[in-house]
């Protein structure tokens, strides 16, 4: 039994749950003076303990149960000895080992047995910390409205920055959901060898393609027939008018096929749709999108996520209800992106990418000089440009606006905490470190890294070392878990809010803390035997961080940079 617990990955959520159970105990442990006060006696278990994250607080404690909680649970906030004993002897699957606890002014402070935690993570199955803790099943279709043809297939010159944001978001969501275990598909398929496909590939986006001459006319005719026979077809509408958003009216052609979208979501009990959706004239481009959706979902039951800009949300809600009116029963949610603002400039997606690529090349030449030439550097600049673009457009909550500085005099810095460049630079530093170590081994300066079971991880005493493990390596799995929570949730309205900004923020924060540690600590020390244990412990930690970088970057479809 003990061996199984040791092999279980340590989880923050499991630890907080176990600590909450230990603190609350059974109802009879509550003091008589406090009984009968309802929820005040037994607060929400998730609010009994808080994980610390700041370097300042981690010097004194790893978890805290605040004084306000103790005063609610116990008379005068005094923690009974039996409760303290339960906290100190806490064990269980995934629970971090406890080293000590004490009641101070701010509450009950708990410290983790750090050496044991380091060994469990670094000498155990580190890979378990780089994947979601649970496996989900199901199919998800990511429908990117910006890529559907209105008249013609979109091109890099017609794609707006707001639309580019939706494409990048769909690409990132797909990688996150695949990591969760979902089968992920994309819509629409784009013409093979088209300009838009080449543009997306320059950003590392592998979008599905179809032959350029492929026709969906048969499927479109089936959609039109289904809408003509729909229960929601408007038969007695006033000829010559159609209802638009906000109640305005516009001229229409006699004989147009009209569908009452408001009846669709009202009669089918669909929440969160715009109440101004009314009678909609069926347009050819809408039928084209519905045909693609039908083809992509023909063989399975899927959850459809319509990824769209806020400017196109109303139109995409129309499309979703038209699809419903045609007989589609798939669950549909809308992931809506806020606008992208560029004060003083107006750039297309193609111009934006060209600007950032030029700035990245210029910044690299200023830092590295004449060596910035050849295919290797072309590949590096391509990846760094893609990283810059992705972090600029994905680091903000997807419903909020993004403001970009696109002044040509500005540019991209190769140093400083500036998003994607900073992240990739620190990833490269880890690769450089291990290259240096391997060269030291070849020269006979250092021995090979021993098995983790042979090391004494109490040598990891730097505050930065614990911060990297406790704030990044251990919680990463739970961060990945959150990406699939909005899938398959019933109710909650038409929108799905997925925390797509968290990976970018996680990587930037990790890079700041790693950079601070790396600049302060000399990892590869003198080749003296009595220093090897600490050096190897640090190499174990940094090797795990390198894999953490790779795992997180994979969700952004960014390959790691191995040299700079």
């Amino acid at each position: 039994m003990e061996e199984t617990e040791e092999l279980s990955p340590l989880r923050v959520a499991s630890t907080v749950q176990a600590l909450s159970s230990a603190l609350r105990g059974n109802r009879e442990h509550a003091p008589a003076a406090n009984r009968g006060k309802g929820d005040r006696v037994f607060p929400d278990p998730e609010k009994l303990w808080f994980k610390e994250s700041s370097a300042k607080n981690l010097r004194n404690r790893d978890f805290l149960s605040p004084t306000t909680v103790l005063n609610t649970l116990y008379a005068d906030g005094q923690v009974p000895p039996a409760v303290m004993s339960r906290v100190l002897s806490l064990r269980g699957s995934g629970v971090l080992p406890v080293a000590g606890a004490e009641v101070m002014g701010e509450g009950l402070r708990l410290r983790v047995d750090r050496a044991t935690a380091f060994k469990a993570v670094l000498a155990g199955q580190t890979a378990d910390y780089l994947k979601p803790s649970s496996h989900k099943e199901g199919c998800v279709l990511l429908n990117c409205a910006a890529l559907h043809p209105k008249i013609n297939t979109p091109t890099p010159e017609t794609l707006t920055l707001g639309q580019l944001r939706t494409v990048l978001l769909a690409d990132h969501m797909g990688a996150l959901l695949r990591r969760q275990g979902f089968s992920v598909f994309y819509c629409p398929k784009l013409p093979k060898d088209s300009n838009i496909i080449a543009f997306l590939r320059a950003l590392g986006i592998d979008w599905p393609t179809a032959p350029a001459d492929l026709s969906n006319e048969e499927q479109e005719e089936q959609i039109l027939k289904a809408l003509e026979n729909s229960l929601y077809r408007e038969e007695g509408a006033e000829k010559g008018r159609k209802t638009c958003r906000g109640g305005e009216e516009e001229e229409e052609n006699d004989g147009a096929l009209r569908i009452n979208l408001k009846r669709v979501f009202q009669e089918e009990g669909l929440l969160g749709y715009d109440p101004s959706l009314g009678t909609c004239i069926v347009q050819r481009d809408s039928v084209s999108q519905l045909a693609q959706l039908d083809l992509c979902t023909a063989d399975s039951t899927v959850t459809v996520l319509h990824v769209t800009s806020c400017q196109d949300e109303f139109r995409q809600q129309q499309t979703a209800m038209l699809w419903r009116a045609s007989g589609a029963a798939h669950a549909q949610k809308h992931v809506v992106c806020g606008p992208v603002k560029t004060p003083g400039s107006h750039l297309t997606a193609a111009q934006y990418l060209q600007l950032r690529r030029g700035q990245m090349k210029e910044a690299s030449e200023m830092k590295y000089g004449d060596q910035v030439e050849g295919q290797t550097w072309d590949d590096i600049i391509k990846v760094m440009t893609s990283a810059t673009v992705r972090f600029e457009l994905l680091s903000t909550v997807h419903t909020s606006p993004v403001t970009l500085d696109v002044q040509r005099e500005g540019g991209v810095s190769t140093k400083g905490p500036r998003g994607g460049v900073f992240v990739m630079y620190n990833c490269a530093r880890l690769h450089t470190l291990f290259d240096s170590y391997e060269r030291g081994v070849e020269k006979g300066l250092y021995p090979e890294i021993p098995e983790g079971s042979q090391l004494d991880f109490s040598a990891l005493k730097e505050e930065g070392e614990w911060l990297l493990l406790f704030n990044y390596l251990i919680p990463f799995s739970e961060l990945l878990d959150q990406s699939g929570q909005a899938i398959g949730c019933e109710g909650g309205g038409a929108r799905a809010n997925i925390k797509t900004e968290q990976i970018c923020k996680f990587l930037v924060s990790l890079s700041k803390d790693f950079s601070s540690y790396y600049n302060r600590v000399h990892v590869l020390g003198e080749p003296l035997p009595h220093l090897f244990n600490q050096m190897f412990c640090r190499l174990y930690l940094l090797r795990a961080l390198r894999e953490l970088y790779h795992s997180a970057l994979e969700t952004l479809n960014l390959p790691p940079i191995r040299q700079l």
Side-chain angles (χ1 to χ4, degrees):
M1 182 65 179
E2 292 183 3
E3 186 175 331
T4 301
E5 292 178 357
E6 289 177 1
L7 293 176
S8 300
L10 302 178
R11 306 288 186 210
V12 172
S14 300
T15 304
V16 169
Q17 184 178 14
L19 285 171
S20 298
S21 297
L23 194 63
R24 285 164 60 111
N26 297 321
R27 186 172 290 271
E28 58 265 28
H29 291 297
N34 279 354
R35 287 179 184 165
K37 295 182 181 179
D39 292 340
R40 291 186 59 201
V41 179
F42 298 99
D44 184 346
E46 294 182 358
K47 298 180 180 178
L48 297 183
W49 290 89
F50 298 91
K51 174 193 174 295
E52 296 291 2
S53 58
S54 72
K56 178 182 177 182
N57 288 338
L58 285 174
R59 294 189 188 106
N60 302 309
R61 59 186 184 251
D62 300 312
F63 293 93
L64 175 71
S65 183
T67 299
T68 52
V69 168
L70 302 182
N71 288 336
T72 303
L73 288 175
Y74 308 111
D76 301 322
Q78 298 299 312
V79 181
V83 174
M84 185 66 81
S85 178
R86 286 201 302 270
V87 170
L88 290 170
S89 60
L90 199 64
R91 298 189 67 184
S93 177
V95 176
L96 284 152
V98 177
E102 58 183 345
V103 177
M104 301 295 286
E106 59 272 75
L108 177 55
R109 306 192 310 193
L110 182 138
R111 288 170 285 110
V112 170
D113 183 342
R114 297 182 174 185
T116 302
F118 273 121
K119 186 171 184 177
V121 177
L122 302 178
Q125 296 295 321
T126 305
D128 289 337
Y129 295 88
L130 306 178
K131 60 185 181 182
S133 61
S134 60
H135 182 84
K136 293 183 171 62
E137 295 182 352
C139 295
V140 177
L141 177 68
L142 291 166
N143 178 42
C144 194
L147 296 179
H148 283 278
K150 302 301 184 287
I151 298 175
N152 298 310
T153 300
T155 69
E157 289 73 26
T158 62
L159 200 67
T160 68
L161 292 182
Q163 292 171 329
L164 175 60
R165 187 184 185 189
T166 66
V167 179
L168 290 169
L169 189 76
D171 186 57
H172 179 40
M173 287 170 54
L176 282 171
L177 294 173
R178 280 194 298 270
R179 186 75 67 87
Q180 283 274 313
F182 291 99
S183 297
V184 179
F185 306 94
Y186 297 90
C187 184
K189 292 183 178 179
L190 296 173
K192 188 177 181 182
D193 299 327
S194 60
N195 289 339
I196 190 67
I197 282 294
F199 174 78
L200 295 180
R201 285 176 179 165
L203 285 168
I205 300 173
D206 186 19
W207 201 267
T209 62
D213 58 352
L214 181 66
S215 172
N216 295 327
E217 288 186 9
E218 182 178 345
Q219 193 69 28
E220 290 177 15
E221 291 303 320
Q222 291 180 17
I223 290 287
L224 280 172
K225 186 174 181 180
L227 289 173
E228 288 169 355
N229 297 324
S230 172
L231 295 172
Y232 304 104
R233 180 178 179 179
E234 194 79 8
E235 296 291 350
E238 179 187 356
K239 291 185 178 181
R241 316 295 287 178
K242 69 174 179 179
T243 304
C244 301
R245 187 170 190 174
E248 298 178 359
E249 293 184 339
E250 294 179 1
E251 294 295 331
E252 70 174 28
N253 295 321
D254 288 344
L257 175 60
R258 296 183 294 274
I259 303 294
N260 191 323
L261 304 182
K262 193 167 188 176
R263 279 185 56 206
V264 177
F265 68 79
Q266 285 182 336
E267 294 185 12
E268 300 200 20
L270 303 173
L271 302 176
Y273 281 85
D274 195 313
S276 63
L277 283 174
T279 299
C280 173
I281 299 173
V282 179
Q283 305 285 353
R284 196 71 195 186
D285 59 340
S286 296
V287 174
S288 173
Q289 185 174 164
L290 298 186
Q292 288 248 25
L293 287 168
D294 258 9
L295 289 169
C296 290
T297 58
D299 299 325
S300 58
T301 301
V302 303
T303 297
V304 180
L305 296 180
H306 300 285
V307 188
T308 185
S309 65
C310 57
Q311 294 94 335
D312 293 334
E313 180 183 12
F314 184 80
R315 182 181 180 86
Q316 197 57 37
Q317 286 197 7
Q318 287 181 318
T319 301
M321 289 303 94
L322 276 177
W323 198 29
R324 194 85 177 184
S326 73
H330 302 289
Q332 300 183 70
K333 291 280 188 177
H334 299 260
V335 181
V336 181
C337 289
V340 178
K341 302 177 182 180
T342 55
S345 301
H346 177 74
L347 297 179
T348 66
Q351 292 168 332
Y352 169 57
L353 181 62
Q354 183 181 13
L355 173 66
R356 287 294 185 248
R357 185 187 294 118
Q359 290 171 333
M360 178 55 61
K361 184 175 182 181
E362 181 181 353
S364 300
E365 288 172 342
M366 289 180 64
K367 183 171 184 178
Y368 298 104
D370 295 338
Q371 64 177 298
V372 182
E373 60 180 20
Q375 188 61 49
T376 298
W377 268 102
D378 287 346
D379 293 341
I380 290 174
I381 289 171
K382 177 182 175 181
V383 173
M384 296 291 272
T385 302
S386 178
T388 298
V389 169
R390 286 174 185 269
F391 275 78
E392 284 186 334
L393 295 180
L394 297 179
S395 293
T396 303
V397 176
H398 67 79
T399 54
S400 299
V402 170
T403 301
L404 298 178
D405 178 8
V406 293
Q407 300 302 318
R408 294 183 181 275
E409 296 76 19
V412 180
S413 173
T414 57
K415 55 185 177 181
R418 295 284 297 275
V421 175
F422 184 62
V423 168
M424 303 303 282
Y425 171 69
N426 279 283
C427 181
R429 293 172 88 180
L430 282 165
H431 283 277
T432 300
L433 169 70
F434 281 93
D435 287 343
S436 298
Y437 168 71
E438 292 297 335
R439 287 195 298 270
V441 172
E442 292 172 1
K443 294 177 181 178
L445 296 176
Y446 307 123
E448 295 282 354
I449 299 180
E451 293 291 328
S453 59
Q454 301 176 30
L455 298 176
D456 178 7
F457 284 94
S458 64
L460 295 178
K461 299 182 183 298
E462 276 278 337
E463 293 176 6
E465 290 159 353
W466 176 243
L467 187 145
L468 291 169
L469 188 91
F470 194 54
N471 281 354
Y472 302 104
L473 274 165
I474 291 177
F476 182 65
S477 176
E478 293 167 77
L479 179 66
L480 291 176
D481 286 335
Q482 297 175 10
S483 62
Q485 290 177 352
I487 307 301
C489 296
E490 296 296 332
R495 285 191 176 191
N497 291 319
I498 301 177
K499 297 178 180 179
T500 51
E501 79 285 354
Q502 289 194 345
I503 292 292
C504 288
K505 289 184 175 180
F506 175 89
L507 279 167
V508 171
S509 181
L510 166 63
S511 297
K512 289 178 180 178
D513 285 332
F514 165 67
S515 181
S516 175
Y517 170 75
Y518 192 79
N519 290 336
R520 188 176 65 252
V521 175
H522 192 49
V523 177
L524 298 180
E526 294 294 322
L528 302 174
H530 70 282
L531 300 177
F532 285 159
N533 178 76
Q534 184 182 61
M535 181 184 75
F536 289 140
C537 289
R538 287 173 172 171
L539 288 174
Y540 262 84
L541 173 63
L542 297 186
R543 185 168 63 184
L545 283 183
R546 183 181 63 181
E547 297 308 310
L548 176 61
Y549 267 105
H550 291 188
S551 186
L553 288 171
E554 280 180 6
T555 70
L556 292 162
N557 287 323
L558 286 170
I561 296 291
R562 299 178 184 275
Q563 66 179 63
L564 267 182

